[in-house]
Amino acid sequence: MSAEQSFPERDFDVYVRGGGPALLLAHGAGGGIENNFGPVLDDLARDHTLIGPHYPGAGGTPVAAGPLDLDDLADALVASAVARGHETFVVLGESLGTAVAVRAATRHPGRVTGLVLTAGFPVADPVLAHAARLIALLGKAGEWEEVARLAFLACLSESQLNELSPNEVEDGVARVRASMPPGMLDHFDLVSRVDVRGDLPGVTAPALVFAPTGDRLVLPRSSHRLAAGIPAATLIELPGAGHILDADARALWLGHVRRFLASVGPAPA
């Protein structure tokens, strides 16, 4: 059976908003569409249809019965747009979502017209692999507050951390704990297994790759490797930005993304 015919049957909870050409959103591990893309959803939805399926165990999608499969997530991402009448689209992936986006581009090359990859990786670097291992160990032990603490601190840049008081750190940890999806351990299990290094030379769509230089969860070098491996990729560094982009970095990101979308089309009505 071809990749075009092998969409998984799981009932994914799909975020849909806006109108115009489709933009597919592939979120990160332990996140969701609004958690990862919230600051730019209003802007992008003005002239694009935003479509983002939540991975199993995130949003309203049920927890998976077994280990997550990257091909299934990539196919579900594409299927969510095709089912809504969109034949081609740009895919925006963040963190784990960059691997989902790359796999979607190689399994469905006739549909993916561009990639925007932020804070991503072709394979887990030593820091990310160690973080995924710690999250798995802590989660299985029921130490969910410590999982939240690790996730919160790892996602901030050094400068962001230095600006926080102890009380602000505790508040941030509490917010992360409250927002962690039921499928978090499944997501990070997939993070530890992802390897799209072999996919990169086969990506035919142009790609815009963002490397937050202050990222302490996914090393900036991982984004550099994504850009180096994709034939038509442009690398843009976001100076000092952490794994979760702050307002200034996201504004810079949005400007570059807008120019990229104008270059790959189709143009919004």
Side-chain angles (χ1 to χ4, degrees):
M1 185 178 290
S2 71
E4 285 291 340
Q5 297 173 314
S6 62
F7 298 132
E9 297 179 358
R10 176 179 294 278
D11 184 19
F12 282 74
D13 170 34
V14 182
Y15 176 98
V16 182
R17 181 178 173 188
L23 292 181
L24 269 62
L25 307 177
H27 67 78
I33 299 303
E34 292 186 332
N35 283 349
N36 282 180
F37 298 98
V40 296
L41 292 175
D42 286 345
D43 186 283
L44 294 175
R46 289 188 293 106
D47 47 16
H48 288 83
T49 301
L50 308 183
I51 302 173
H54 288 90
Y55 307 152
T61 304
V63 174
L68 300 184
D69 181 82
L70 188 64
D71 287 351
D72 284 351
L73 296 188
D75 290 350
L77 182 72
V78 172
S80 67
V82 174
R84 290 163 176 79
H86 298 275
E87 298 297 324
T88 59
F89 25 75
V90 174
V91 184
L92 280 62
E94 303 222 352
S95 195
L96 173 60
T98 63
V100 177
V102 166
R103 183 59 55 84
T106 55
R107 286 176 67 81
H108 307 278
R111 297 194 182 279
V112 177
T113 61
L115 295 174
V116 176
L117 309 176
T118 306
F121 54 94
V123 65
D125 58 51
V127 171
L128 179 59
H130 187 63
R133 177 179 172 83
L134 287 177
I135 287 171
L137 291 172
L138 291 169
K140 289 174 182 177
E143 299 288 348
W144 291 107
E145 183 174 344
E146 300 310 315
V147 171
R149 187 174 303 278
L150 172 60
F152 176 72
L153 296 176
C155 286
L156 298 181
S157 68
E158 181 179 357
S159 62
Q160 288 173 317
L161 281 174
N162 286 336
E163 293 174 358
L164 297 179
S165 69
N167 285 340
E168 288 172 327
V169 169
E170 295 307 315
D171 289 344
V173 170
R175 289 195 301 272
V176 171
R177 175 68 184 93
S179 68
M180 289 192 308
M184 184 157 181
L185 294 189
D186 292 336
H187 298 176
F188 275 93
D189 171 67
L190 181 58
V191 165
S192 69
R193 295 184 283 109
V194 157
D195 189 345
V196 296
R197 288 174 291 185
D199 294 61
L200 301 182
V203 175
T204 57
L208 190 61
V209 181
F210 290 95
T213 64
D215 197 337
R216 299 166 57 252
L217 179 62
V218 178
L219 296 177
R221 179 61 182 161
S222 290
S223 290
H224 285 250
R225 288 173 177 159
L226 278 177
I230 297 173
T234 299
L235 175 70
I236 296 176
E237 292 189 336
L238 299 174
H243 192 68
I244 300 298
L245 303 185
D246 61 18
D248 290 341
R250 188 58 87 175
L252 179 61
W253 177 96
L254 184 59
H256 286 293
V257 169
R258 277 289 182 187
R259 288 187 287 274
F260 178 75
L261 294 177
S263 72
V264 297

